[in-house]
Amino acid sequence: MNLFLKGGEVASENTAPVRADVWIENGRIKAVGADLAEPEGARVVDVSGKIVMPGMFDAHVHFREPGGEQKETILDGSEAAINGGITGVVMMPNTSPSIDSATVVKRVLDAAKECRIPVLTSGCITVGREGHEMAGIDGMKKAGVLMLTDDGDAVPDAALLKRAMEYGSEFGMFFASHCEEPQLAGPRALNEGAVSYRLGIEGTPALAEEISMSRDLALAHATGATLHIQHVSTAIGMEQIKWWRDERGAKVSGEVSPHHLMFTDEDIGDYDTHYKMNPPLRTAEDNIALLEGLKNGAFRIIATDHAPHTEFEKSRAFEDAPNGISGLDTALVSLFDRFIDKGEFGWDLIVKRYSAEPRRMMELEAAEVAEGKSVDLIVFDPNGETTFTKEFMKSKSSNTPFLNKTLKGSVDMVMLRDEVLLER
Amino acid sequence: MARKDFLDIVSLDREEIIQLLDQAEPFKDLFTRSVKKVPALKGKAVLMLFYEPSTRTLSSFEVAAKRLSADVTTFDVPSSSVTKGESVRDTIDTLQAMRADYIVVRHGLSGQPAAIARQTGASVINAGDGAHAHPTQALLDAFTLREKFPEMEGKRVLITGDILHSRVARSTSTILRKLGVKVAFLGPGSLVPKTASPDIPRFTNYDQAISEFGPDAVYLLRIQKERMAAPFFPSDREYHNLYGITDERLRQLAGEGTYIMHPGPINRGVELCDAVLDYDRCLISQQVENGIAARMSVLYGLKPQTS
């Protein structure tokens, strides 16, 4: 492949986009610079007015294989990622069976070999995510697991989590917590508040997340474990992470999901299950606080918590419908439409929080559009638009409020190593 | 413009409510005649689909539909395919094939009747869903109160008990407020959520509620044990002492001429003592009778989109 991206703006994690041409040859970036001469024999693509930046990396996705292939397979999920400008993902282990042993890890990573982007997986902290026995940490580590999580649930037994942190940290593993105190969380359908009262469904109070998070952060601090807090939905939760990190030096970080920045429980309206996920959508005040946190560095990464479910499952009554929102196809475009285009933050934040930092968290090199680097880049058209029809989305499921909506921005190209994965 | 479905009170405006109440009056007059039926729904099929056990609401709807000359079928949920794991959506597809014009649904999950209504052209009537809504109960409550207070504006109703789990509290408070009635909630702190409504006064002390709010009617709710997975107050006895209508409280209410209402079924010795049932301003049996007229009015007013 010999390709010349002409006239674009190159985005990086540290600066605003810079006008530069990009010359790609044989899977490497040969040159980056303003007004480069068009190389002989290269295919020239006019990307003027468009953003050229590293591929995104999503460290929190639910591909339903094994056990839930009707919702999503590893292959379909990886194609949804590419469709959204994402060139690497980390699977969560709440499949069926759970990814809690070297055997299942190998089975999953074997299936992932078909994919056109790297698909990594996390592993469970406890066997079957049941919170009783420690999962086979050494075997999973050898099979390639770095992140341990019982995502979907908190580990209910604090003593067990403490011992797992003491044990697993010695293998160089880090922990990721879904924070939710189960008794307080109740049936887990929506936020507790005026909306849950109006709809007549028992809500999950913000308190359920705050208490559980407080416990896990203290455990990480006490054991010296590295802990990443997943999909923070509450302002107080976010404040706690910052406090332990900045005031106590704990090795803790947090992630925020696009939907927790964009939607509130009011959006549920008349039982719209596209707005049903766990942790639930909270209030407008939480939206504002989380967005502020993303801007001021409270969160290390953005991650979708991509959670596909079939149309039939989501057509059930609100309480019976499963929790989850599909995210990979829509994340980048929606973040552009809602925030970048409105001047809330710049491309540097997206590159840092949705590309560089999640890769570093997974001990990978951050992708960069810079001379000599391996090709891992996307072209985004801020003047384009995207309509998220079922046909457009590559995920097997289409459980998103953006279904059939048109948003500003479009992922025009995705390139990885020596291959153009997507071009439109 | 006639509605297809009757799912909640929130989406009705005041005029629609008044029309439904006015429309119920001639139906009630019918009950004292020797022939209690009218041919309004002759040839129409009404299906009763009750996923939760019910005696009074189910039979009230059956009587209402029959007095409108409809053909009534009661789908026997407990012994049906539902208990064999069939989803509601698939059950409705099956029932569609039986060409019901009206489906009366009670379900334990909030929002289920609305989901069914989106799936079928039949008129769906919510006969109670989870803790969400019980709109025909609200309509009969408003009808009953209007019989006593033809000018409802400014009257005061104190709804007492398990506000948190009660679909009746939600629907009845909503309809009364739309009609200009002032509503307050009274009950244990754990059962009267602070998030319920900023416009509804919240009391946790009986005497304070009576003296500060001065209700024209006290509306008692049953303590819904079946909806409570965990304890919300120490004991029935303590509840009765703090919030129940005891003999002494009944004497006080009688002195003020306060009406007592209750959606049934009642729990003697919990929310009320035996003497309440002999109180001349206890409206419980009128509520039951008016329920038939109110439900006839609802059935009569809907427009199924079935050919």
Side-chain angles (χ1 to χ4, degrees):
Chain A
M1 183 172 67
N2 189 359
L3 200 72
F4 189 69
L5 300 174
K6 187 180 164 68
E9 307 267 327
V10 174
S12 73
E13 62 179 316
N14 298 318
T15 59
V18 177
R19 206 355 246 108
D21 303 325
V22 179
W23 180 21
I24 291 162
E25 197 180 49
N26 300 326
R28 293 245 156 226
I29 297 173
K30 186 118 178 169
V32 178
D35 305 316
L36 293 180
E38 282 181 25
E40 197 87 358
R43 181 185 153 210
V44 178
V45 181
D46 180 7
V47 295
S48 43
K50 300 183 185 181
I51 302 290
V52 181
M53 63 179 164
M56 301 296 117
F57 188 94
D58 201 306
H60 193 140
V61 305
H62 295 272
F63 292 170
R64 306 297 190 182
E65 183 178 346
E69 288 85 351
Q70 74 284 3
K71 300 170 194 264
E72 193 84 294
T73 62
I74 293 172
L75 185 60
D76 287 321
S78 70
E79 288 297 317
I82 294 167
N83 202 33
I86 297 153
T87 53
V89 296
V90 183
M91 281 176 60
M92 291 299 116
N94 62 335
T95 47
S96 181
S98 305
I99 305 173
D100 62 357
S101 68
T103 313
V104 188
V105 170
K106 283 174 191 157
R107 149 83 175 80
V108 163
L109 294 182
D110 225 40
K113 281 178 192 155
E114 293 176 80
C115 302
R116 301 191 291 156
I117 56 168
V119 173
L120 285 61
T121 186
S122 58
C124 293
I125 299 169
T126 69
V127 174
R129 296 191 316 117
E130 286 175 351
H132 301 308
E133 300 164 56
M134 246 185 264
I137 288 178
D138 179 45
M140 291 195 291
K141 170 75 184 178
K142 284 177 176 147
V145 170
L146 190 61
M147 180 199 288
L148 292 171
T149 176
D150 273 4
D151 183 48
D153 296 284
V155 176
D157 179 344
L160 176 59
L161 182 57
K162 176 171 174 283
R163 291 193 292 269
M165 284 178 168
E166 288 164 345
Y167 184 85
S169 296
E170 298 300 325
F171 293 79
M173 314 280 269
F174 76 93
F175 290 77
S177 279
H178 170 120
C179 291
E180 194 169 54
E181 206 288 316
Q183 262 81 37
L184 277 172
R188 311 205 290 191
L190 77 172
N191 183 44
E192 181 182 278
V195 174
S196 68
Y197 176 78
R198 176 171 64 78
L199 296 177
I201 300 176
E202 188 182 342
T204 298
L207 201 55
E209 173 171 301
E210 293 155 9
I211 287 177
S212 177
M213 201 181 289
S214 163
R215 184 198 74 166
D216 287 11
L217 290 164
L219 283 170
H221 176 250
T223 60
T226 301
L227 175 68
H228 177 69
I229 305 290
Q230 301 173 301
H231 45 48
V232 176
S233 70
T234 62
I236 290 176
M238 180 187 75
E239 294 298 329
Q240 295 185 75
I241 300 172
K242 262 168 59 181
W243 188 82
W244 281 105
R245 188 192 65 189
D246 299 343
E247 303 298 322
R248 294 285 160 164
K251 291 181 279 177
V252 296
S253 61
E255 91 194 9
V256 66
S257 305
H259 51 269
H260 287 130
L261 298 167
M262 296 173 188
F263 305 124
T264 71
D265 58 357
E266 297 282 349
D267 290 313
I268 293 166
D270 191 17
Y271 301 102
D272 187 342
T273 58
H274 281 162
Y275 295 96
K276 184 183 179 191
M277 72 288 292
N278 192 38
L281 298 170
R282 307 281 182 190
T283 65
E285 289 76 50
D286 290 299
N287 277 176
I288 292 164
L290 298 178
L291 179 60
E292 206 45 50
L294 179 62
K295 291 185 203 170
N296 68 25
F299 292 112
R300 184 172 189 189
I301 68 167
I302 297 168
T304 55
D305 193 6
H306 177 76
H309 292 293
T310 66
E311 194 179 351
F312 174 75
E313 292 166 319
K314 279 290 191 181
S315 75
R316 304 179 72 175
F318 196 86
E319 284 169 86
D320 258 3
N323 278 306
I325 174 172
S326 179
L328 290 172
D329 285 288
T330 59
L332 186 59
V333 169
S334 66
L335 288 165
F336 172 76
D337 178 280
R338 296 296 173 99
F339 302 121
I340 298 178
D341 189 51
K342 294 185 167 62
E344 286 287 347
F345 50 71
W347 284 108
D348 53 329
L349 183 142
I350 286 288
V351 174
K352 189 177 177 72
R353 302 297 171 193
Y354 200 23
S355 174
E357 283 300 323
R359 282 191 170 89
R360 290 187 187 115
M361 185 172 87
M362 299 309 295
E363 298 181 4
L364 302 169
E365 195 190 337
E368 270 185 87
V369 183
E371 199 174 307
K373 296 286 179 184
S374 173
V375 172
D376 185 342
L377 65 79
I378 67 176
V379 175
F380 190 95
D381 182 4
N383 299 310
E385 57 177 35
T386 305
T387 303
F388 292 102
T389 59
K390 268 184 217 172
E391 294 68 33
F392 175 85
M393 291 187 281
K394 300 294 181 221
S395 171
K396 211 164 177 178
S397 299
S398 47
N399 51 308
T400 164
F402 294 122
L403 179 62
N404 296 325
K405 299 260 162 53
T406 300
L407 271 63
K408 281 187 196 162
S410 157
V411 176
D412 280 4
M413 288 185 91
V414 178
M415 278 174 260
L416 186 61
R417 294 185 285 269
D418 205 22
E419 213 185 330
V420 176
L421 303 182
L422 178 146
E423 184 168 5
R424 52 176 154 244
Chain B
M1 190 192 71
R3 289 172 175 273
K4 173 171 119 27
D5 306 303
F6 190 71
L7 299 173
D8 57 42
I9 297 296
V10 176
S11 53
L12 301 180
D13 60 33
R14 184 188 160 89
E15 285 61 43
E16 284 176 282
I17 293 165
I18 288 170
Q19 194 195 342
L20 283 165
L21 293 173
D22 291 347
Q23 200 168 268
E25 293 200 6
F27 288 128
K28 185 173 179 181
D29 295 341
L30 201 65
F31 301 168
T32 52
R33 300 202 200 141
S34 58
V35 177
K36 296 182 174 59
K37 284 176 89 161
V38 288
L41 262 59
K42 199 167 168 56
K44 298 291 180 188
V46 179
L47 191 78
M48 303 292 166
L49 187 57
F50 277 59
Y51 285 84
E52 275 187 339
S54 160
T55 313
R56 61 189 60 222
T57 305
L58 174 61
S59 46
S60 178
F61 268 109
E62 283 178 343
V63 171
K66 284 174 179 167
R67 286 188 183 167
L68 292 167
S69 306
D71 297 319
V72 182
T73 307
T74 301
F75 189 77
D76 188 5
V77 173
S79 59
S80 76
S81 52
V82 172
T83 47
K84 297 170 193 160
E86 185 176 77
S87 75
V88 173
R89 184 163 148 174
D90 294 330
T91 302
I92 297 302
D93 276 341
T94 307
L95 296 178
Q96 291 249 71
M98 298 180 189
R99 303 201 177 277
D101 299 293
Y102 301 83
I103 302 176
V104 179
V105 186
R106 169 167 288 192
H107 200 284
L109 294 180
S110 298
Q112 184 71 70
I116 293 172
R118 283 192 289 270
Q119 195 192 336
T120 174
S123 283
V124 173
I125 298 153
N126 182 359
D129 61 331
H132 170 233
H134 195 350
T136 59
Q137 177 72 45
L139 195 66
L140 75 88
D141 289 337
F143 187 89
T144 304
L145 203 68
R146 193 172 78 156
E147 285 184 323
K148 299 301 168 191
F149 300 112
E151 298 301 324
M152 299 175 84
E153 191 83 36
K155 292 297 166 198
R156 291 167 170 266
V157 175
L158 179 66
I159 302 182
T160 304
D162 181 0
I163 307 300
L164 179 63
H165 298 98
S166 174
R167 55 195 175 210
V168 176
R170 285 170 178 79
S171 287
T172 295
S173 67
T174 306
I175 200 169
L176 293 179
R177 294 177 71 222
K178 287 193 180 210
L179 294 167
V181 175
K182 291 194 166 30
V183 173
F185 288 149
L186 163 68
S190 52
L191 288 175
V192 189
K194 289 182 176 152
T195 51
S197 168
D199 308 325
I200 299 179
R202 172 183 187 269
F203 293 99
T204 54
N205 178 287
Y206 179 92
D207 292 332
Q208 196 186 359
I210 296 295
S211 65
E212 288 181 17
F213 187 65
D216 298 294
V218 174
Y219 193 109
L220 303 173
L221 296 169
R222 186 173 61 90
I223 292 300
Q224 303 202 51
K225 293 233 165 74
E226 70 276 19
R227 292 196 203 287
M228 289 193 198
F232 284 77
F233 54 87
S235 65
D236 286 355
R237 187 184 169 80
E238 186 161 320
Y239 181 87
H240 184 66
N241 291 340
L242 292 175
Y243 302 103
I245 304 302
T246 58
D247 288 313
E248 194 197 327
R249 288 183 181 135
L250 184 61
R251 278 192 293 277
Q252 278 178 1
L253 293 176
E256 299 290 332
T258 311
Y259 288 98
I260 294 179
M261 299 173 75
H262 194 302
I266 57 169
N267 283 326
R268 291 173 189 247
V270 186
E271 67 270 14
L272 47 74
C273 65
D274 294 349
V276 170
L277 301 165
D278 300 321
Y279 175 46
D280 62 353
R281 290 186 170 224
C282 171
L283 301 176
I284 296 176
S285 55
Q286 279 100 308
Q287 285 173 276
V288 175
E289 188 183 7
N290 292 339
I292 297 167
R295 287 172 178 124
M296 289 173 77
S297 176
V298 170
L299 281 164
Y300 180 73
L302 294 178
K303 188 133 191 71
Q305 288 167 11
T306 48
S307 46

